[in-house]
């Protein structure tokens, strides 16, 4: 009969880290916003809007985290994302606004 008391077992227990989850969600939001910008540059407004809408569930998580420390920044982000969803043209102005939003999130 085998004696399991003499065997050493090594393992790891990885728990979810709130910071890692937050950073992963921020990365996903940045990707969606970069796709918005790319599609605007290619005059594909409907696909740009699609990516803007896809960022909303992700950004709600980010915004709640940001709001814990900075209510004004969270409100500004909500306003910018709402504007982003209402894009109707691929004008240079819209492209610059989206580009600025992506840049701000990169900081």
């Amino acid at each position: 009969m085998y004696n399991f008391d003499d065997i050493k077992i090594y393992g790891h227990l990885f728990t979810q880290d709130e910071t890692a989850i937050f950073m992963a969600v921020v990365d996903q939001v940045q990707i969606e916003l970069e796709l918005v910008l790319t599609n605007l540059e290619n005059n594909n407004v409907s696909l740009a809007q699609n990516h803007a809408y896809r960022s909303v569930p992700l950004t709600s998580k980010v915004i709640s985290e940001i709001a814990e420390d900075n209510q004004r920044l969270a409100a500004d982000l909500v306003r910018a994302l709402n504007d982003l969803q209402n894009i109707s043209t691929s004008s240079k102005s819209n492209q610059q606004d989206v580009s600025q939003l992506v840049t701000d999130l990169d900081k």
Side-chain angles (χ1 to χ4, degrees):
M1 190 142 147
Y2 200 75
N3 185 354
F4 289 101
D5 292 333
D6 295 334
I7 297 175
K8 292 183 181 180
I9 299 174
Y10 299 95
H12 297 279
L13 176 62
F14 295 103
T15 59
Q16 289 185 349
D17 178 31
E18 215 173 274
T19 303
I21 293 169
F22 176 75
M23 294 306 296
V25 171
V26 168
D27 286 343
Q28 288 176 319
V29 169
Q30 287 172 319
I31 290 167
E32 290 295 340
L33 295 179
E34 288 170 6
L35 289 169
V36 169
L37 181 58
T38 299
N39 285 294
L40 285 178
E41 290 169 347
N42 292 320
N43 291 323
N44 193 337
V45 176
S46 62
L47 195 52
Q49 287 173 326
N50 185 317
H51 286 290
Y53 283 110
R54 290 182 68 187
S55 71
V56 171
L58 300 172
T59 53
S60 63
K61 296 175 188 176
V62 172
I63 291 168
S64 64
E65 291 291 326
I66 292 172
E68 289 178 8
D69 293 327
N70 190 330
Q71 288 287 330
R72 186 191 59 76
L73 179 59
D76 288 348
L77 184 56
V78 167
R79 191 170 24 262
L81 291 168
N82 287 338
D83 291 345
L84 190 60
Q85 290 176 19
N86 296 320
I87 291 173
S88 59
T89 66
S90 59
S91 69
K92 275 288 186 201
S93 174
N94 282 340
Q95 291 176 23
Q96 290 172 342
D97 291 344
V98 174
S99 181
Q100 185 61 50
L101 183 57
V102 171
T103 300
D104 290 346
L105 280 175
D106 284 340
K107 292 180 183 177

